[in-house]
Amino acid sequence: MAYTLLNGKDLALRMKKAMSAQVEELKNKGAIPGLAVIIVGNDPASRIYVNSKKRDCEEVGIRSFEYALPEDVQEEQLLELIDTLNNDDNVDGILVQLPIPDHLDEGKVLRRIRPDKDVDAFHPYNVGELMIGNHAFAPCTPAGIMELLKDAKIDVEGKNCVVVGRSNIVGKPMSMLMLHANATVTICHSRTKNLKDVCKTADILIAAIGKPNYITRDFVKEGAVVIDVGINRTADGGMTGDVDFTEVSKIASAITPVPGGVGPMTRAMLLKNTIKACIMHKRGKLS
Ligand code: NAP
């Protein structure tokens, strides 16, 4: 069966082009969107993510501010920095690159970010707003998946959607967005019984597990749409998803590649949320 490749890289490029024009227009009206990124410690993966976020900002004209704190930073110092950024009018979005070292209370840190600057949408206020469908921001990965489906004109309404994974940053908000889009949603996790059978009921199957090639062909119904969120590093320094692409693409009607599927969309949505925050903050002041 011929499948549609859900090319996130291509859509993210198109979105960035449109966002560059939007930022230019905002600048002409006296508003420059700004994103502050806080990184704690020397985790190499976090460093790569932060660098790419900085590059993305530059590409579309968003001002980015990086704060690199030492591994042993005191929690109070980090919270003070967040307070300063909360009160800085040049900063529309604040994100703390996760994970942070164990001696820091992640919940407390995320709660300190002003909800209207919480462009990752991890603050419980934004989680609650998402739950009731009144959200300004949705977490970037699930929001990016919704854009990808919309762009490919894949109708979600009335479809059976199975989300494998229940994390706060992917699985749960993904399920909520699908529910708001009128899908019938099933959430699976490591204790789910008969996972294969449940997955086989999916018209839209979303894998956010973190296990390389876990979703094999026998998890997938013929003609299903398959979204692979997984990023798993391979021994040769490459990356692979949670879905066995070679086999699953033989029966799926549409599928995301890894890399080049969900990842670039996550990055694009961060820019989109930052621009949205800027418009919210500066609405009354635009010339
Ligand atoms: P996470 O917090 O580790 O959550 C993984 C989820 O998968 C958990 O809910 C876990 O169940 C479930 N799970 C684990 N093994 C399972 C199994 N054998 N059967 C069924 N469910 C199982 O991970 P995450 O942050 O959601 O990320 C998931 C993956 O997506 C990772 O590979 C991550 O790197 C990737 N990711 C990609 C992007 C992107 O932009 N592409 C963004 C974020 C994350 P329990 O809750 O029962 O433990």
Side-chain angles (χ1 to χ4, degrees):
M1 157 174 217
Y3 63 85
T4 301
L5 187 73
L6 299 170
N7 188 333
K9 194 173 168 191
D10 171 68
L11 176 55
L13 272 175
R14 283 187 274 134
M15 284 177 66
K16 280 203 266 187
K17 218 168 164 192
M19 286 190 280
S20 296
Q22 197 184 4
V23 170
E24 195 54 41
E25 208 177 300
L26 281 169
K27 282 183 180 166
N28 290 337
K29 292 179 179 171
I32 307 174
L35 174 68
V37 180
I38 302 173
I39 176 170
V40 183
N42 308 308
D43 179 54
S46 292
R47 174 39 68 196
I48 292 171
Y49 288 132
V50 167
N51 288 350
S52 55
K53 284 167 189 174
K54 232 157 75 177
R55 230 177 15 248
D56 290 340
C57 283
E58 274 164 24
E59 271 177 51
V60 302
I62 292 175
R63 216 157 27 175
S64 72
F65 310 94
E66 183 189 309
Y67 298 87
L69 304 179
E71 182 84 27
D72 61 353
V73 68
Q74 293 296 306
E75 190 171 272
E76 205 42 49
Q77 217 181 319
L78 172 56
L79 295 175
E80 274 170 24
L81 171 60
I82 294 173
D83 288 343
T84 304
L85 298 171
N86 280 339
N87 293 317
D88 184 341
D89 287 344
N90 291 316
V91 173
D92 296 295
I94 303 170
L95 80 80
V96 178
Q97 183 65 45
L98 300 178
I100 51 177
D102 288 344
H103 70 280
L104 302 168
D105 180 343
E106 184 182 298
K108 196 167 166 187
V109 169
L110 294 179
R111 277 179 173 80
R112 196 68 162 241
I113 298 172
R114 238 172 66 182
D116 59 301
K117 294 193 176 190
D118 171 37
V119 283
D120 261 343
F122 296 158
H123 190 293
Y125 175 89
N126 286 320
V127 175
E129 291 284 52
L130 178 64
M131 183 75 135
I132 60 172
N134 186 41
H135 48 287
F137 311 116
C140 299
T141 301
I145 292 169
M146 296 308 286
E147 290 283 335
L148 204 48
L149 292 171
K150 192 168 135 200
D151 185 68
K153 300 193 171 40
I154 292 170
D155 196 13
V156 171
E157 180 158 324
K159 299 280 168 61
N160 286 336
C161 173
V162 174
V163 179
V164 191
R166 57 173 164 180
S167 70
N168 290 332
I169 63 170
V170 187
K172 281 185 207 156
M174 184 74 252
S175 310
M176 212 37 71
L177 288 176
M178 279 290 179
L179 187 61
H180 291 319
N182 295 321
T184 302
V185 183
T186 306
I187 309 171
C188 300
H189 46 78
S190 65
R191 317 286 167 89
T192 297
K193 301 256 191 285
N194 306 320
L195 183 66
K196 259 184 206 173
D197 294 338
V198 180
C199 288
K200 274 208 132 166
T201 66
D203 303 310
I204 302 173
L205 177 62
I206 301 175
I209 310 169
K211 296 216 156 94
N213 305 320
Y214 192 83
I215 301 293
T216 49
R217 186 179 167 138
D218 47 341
F219 282 71
V220 180
K221 180 169 80 176
E222 181 105 27
V225 172
V226 180
I227 306 291
D228 190 352
V229 183
I231 298 177
N232 307 290
R233 297 286 159 191
T234 53
D236 61 0
M239 78 167 66
T240 185
D242 289 345
V243 176
D244 178 352
F245 184 91
T246 309
E247 285 304 311
V248 171
S249 61
K250 289 178 184 158
I251 55 167
S253 61
I255 184 167
T256 57
V258 176
V262 175
M265 291 305 299
T266 299
R267 287 166 56 179
M269 293 313 292
L270 176 65
L271 305 175
K272 195 168 176 184
N273 281 351
T274 304
I275 294 170
K276 192 168 186 188
C278 171
I279 294 169
M280 272 161 39
H281 293 142
K282 291 159 186 154
R283 191 173 282 139
K285 299 177 200 150
L286 297 177
S287 55

